[in-house]
Structure formats: structure tokens, C-alpha cells
Amino acid sequence: MRAITYSRYGGPDVLELTELPTPKVGPDSVLVRVKAASVNPVDWKVRQGYLDAIMDVEFPVVPGWDVAGVVERVGLDTPELKVGDEVFGYVRKDWVQGGTFAELVAAPVRTLARKPASLSFEEAAAIPLAGLTAYQTIQRAGVSAGQTVLVHAAAGGVGGFAVQIARALGARVIGTASERNHDHLRELGAEPVAYGDGLVDRVRALAPDGVDVILDYGGTDAVAQAPQLLAAGGTIASIVDAKARDELGGHYVWVRPSTADLEALADLVAAGTVRVEVAQVFDLADAAAAHEASASGHVRGKVVVRV
């Protein structure tokens, strides 16, 4: 099969289009014919070696954790899925090696769910990691109807999902973003505020009594400013700063594969409550350019690779 691989840590230039054997399929896994995969910031961070201290890596690595495709073969005990099912998923395993930037990927059934019929494979591939991250932080923080939620980096891939999910739960959402993305946040249902000096005052002007929940997806000084912004009894959940948990008693979240959570996201998409934004689509051979586009910070929505 064709696959993108790298045999050492480094920049996008270490990515190569190669031929690899078809992956073996374990008892609780299925073989997925990949139609599309998407790029997340963690993909190029792994490629650069930033996760070497916490995850075993076996070279050559096939990058990518997000996937959408069709089940081609099933394992010995996979009653959840059958050959021909269209699926999407967050195929993160316990080590880094057999990723989704390939024609075929062996995926544990716990990492997959059926693809929403209304979405293209490219759109479905844009959901898993970002959508699950948003969904799981919102669940962990206990967001509910009537609350005021502050979403940092609200125009990013995770933040955009979080705004929509929180609004679907009946929360009021304030979102931080650069001014060029403020109209976009309004379309998603958030009240935008600009980054930078004076952020606390700008948020307090909208929520004088403070916010009930802060969701930190990369805001500058988000944890440091949280005590000034949280209402009494409020909480913070962060995916970037463990101090949210260790110093403020909130939550530090590392997204997990979950069929149930993927199904919940699929239901939200099917209902039209959550929309998916694809920024750019690249061919598999252009994976290096896809990584560069994702890392540039100049795209809104997900960068997707078509296989």
C-alpha cells in the first residue's frame, strides 16, 4: 500500500511517499480503506519529537490519527462493524507508528463510529480529534444550559466545535479570537472578544459577574487570568496547561478515542447543530504541504488529505 512515512524526527521534509505491507488486523480491529485523513497540530508536533518523552515511537512512522473510510476487512471479534461500513474515527493507539496517512489502516473498533451519511469523507475526517477534544472538555467541565462559557482560541479547529456544542447545550458563549475571525464567531453563536491587553476587562464587560466555565484551547495567559474571570463556583478545563488542574482545581484533558462520543458528535452533525469546516484538501503525495499549511496558523478549519 502507499503510505506517508518518516524515519526520523524533523521538519516536513522528512515525510516520504513509500510502499508498505498491508497492516495486520487484530481480533478487535478492522482494516479501513482510507478515503481521507486530516492534519492536527499534534501530528507535526509528534513528527518533531515533542511527544517522545511520553509515547513510544517505532520508525518508520505513518503519521495521522484522524480518518474516514470504508471497512475492508474485520477482525475475529468485531460485531460492531461489518465489511462495507463507512466509518470515521480517532485512531490513536498506545504507541506511534501505524497512522492514517496511508491507503489502509488497522483501527481498533473502540476508535471508530459510523460516518454521518450527510458528510463527505473529507468532512468526516475533519471531525474526530478536534471534535472529540471539544466534546470531552465540555463534558468534563460539566457545561449546562444557562451557563456562561468562555472559549479561548474559539476560531480554531477545537474551539469552533466547542462553541457549537456549548451553544447546543443551551450555554451562552463568549469566544476569544483575532478580530478578523469575529464575524465567523458570531455565525457560530459566540460573542467575540479580542486577544491581548485588556482581555479581562473586555470579558467582564460582557459578563460582570464572571463566567461559569473557561475552556482553554490555547489562549495566551488563559490559566493565569482565570481567577479574575471565573464566577464563584466556576471551573476551567484546559488542553494546554496542567496548572488548570494542579493549581486551580479544574481539569486538564488529553482527548481519548471513544465510539460513544463520536456517535454523539455524528448526531449533532446530522441534526445540523454542528457544522464542519474544511479549509484545504491535499493529495496524499502532498502530505508535507498539508503539514506546513496546518502549522502556518493561517487556515480556519481543518486541513485534509485525500487518499
Side-chain angles (χ1 to χ4, degrees):
M1 68 170 184
R2 294 187 311 146
I4 296 296
T5 65
Y6 58 93
S7 296
R8 67 185 190 281
Y9 292 134
D13 58 298
V14 302
L15 297 173
E16 299 179 295
L17 184 62
T18 57
E19 287 286 334
L20 291 179
T22 297
K24 296 177 181 179
V25 182
D28 60 350
S29 296
V30 297
L31 188 68
V32 177
R33 173 69 62 175
V34 179
K35 298 296 186 180
S38 71
V39 185
N40 294 286
V42 71
D43 294 321
W44 44 267
K45 292 176 182 178
V46 171
R47 189 201 69 222
Q48 291 175 322
Y50 293 160
L51 270 65
D52 187 75
I54 63 171
M55 296 192 75
D56 288 326
V57 176
E58 296 183 24
F59 294 112
V61 169
V62 177
W65 286 338
D66 280 351
V67 71
V70 180
V71 175
E72 185 153 302
R73 188 192 312 162
V74 296
L76 296 173
D77 185 19
T78 58
E80 301 91 339
L81 296 169
K82 65 182 185 301
V83 173
D85 283 344
E86 295 183 349
V87 295
F88 74 125
Y90 170 47
V91 190
R92 176 170 65 79
K93 303 170 186 176
D94 295 330
W95 72 100
V96 177
Q97 185 186 36
T100 58
F101 279 41
E103 291 181 319
L104 297 163
V105 63
V109 292
R110 64 182 172 82
T111 69
L112 300 173
R114 285 178 174 79
K115 179 181 79 68
S118 61
L119 296 186
S120 67
F121 285 106
E122 290 81 5
E123 290 170 325
I127 296 174
L129 188 152
L132 285 174
T133 302
Y135 186 83
Q136 291 174 6
T137 51
I138 283 172
Q139 292 294 108
R140 191 83 66 87
V143 173
S144 60
Q147 290 186 323
T148 298
V149 178
L150 174 63
V151 178
H152 284 295
V158 178
F161 280 114
V163 168
Q164 296 177 83
I165 296 167
R167 289 287 294 145
L169 290 171
R172 175 195 181 194
V173 178
I174 300 169
T176 65
S178 59
E179 291 189 8
R180 63 187 175 87
N181 287 315
H182 282 192
D183 285 343
H184 172 64
L185 289 190
R186 292 186 184 98
E187 292 173 2
L188 296 181
E191 301 167 52
V193 293
Y195 292 123
D197 293 342
L199 173 64
V200 171
D201 292 337
R202 287 191 290 276
V203 173
R204 277 288 185 176
L206 294 173
D209 296 326
V211 300
D212 301 295
V213 177
I214 295 174
L215 302 175
D216 173 26
Y217 302 124
T220 302
D221 297 325
V223 172
Q225 293 171 341
Q228 303 172 68
L229 291 171
L230 285 171
T235 191
I236 179 172
S238 177
I239 66 169
V240 295
D241 194 341
K243 291 178 182 177
R245 175 196 62 203
D246 300 339
E247 298 183 5
L248 301 183
H251 311 274
Y252 180 57
V253 180
W254 178 274
V255 62
R256 298 179 180 181
S258 168
T259 296
D261 290 352
L262 285 169
E263 290 172 343
L265 288 168
D267 289 343
L268 288 169
V269 170
T273 304
V274 169
R275 73 187 198 203
V276 182
E277 187 169 8
V278 175
Q280 291 177 266
V281 179
F282 293 83
D283 291 331
L284 181 64
D286 297 322
H291 270 223
E292 289 178 324
S294 175
S296 72
H298 299 311
V299 294
R300 189 180 69 212
K302 293 301 293 294
V303 174
V304 173
V305 170
R306 182 186 294 120
V307 181

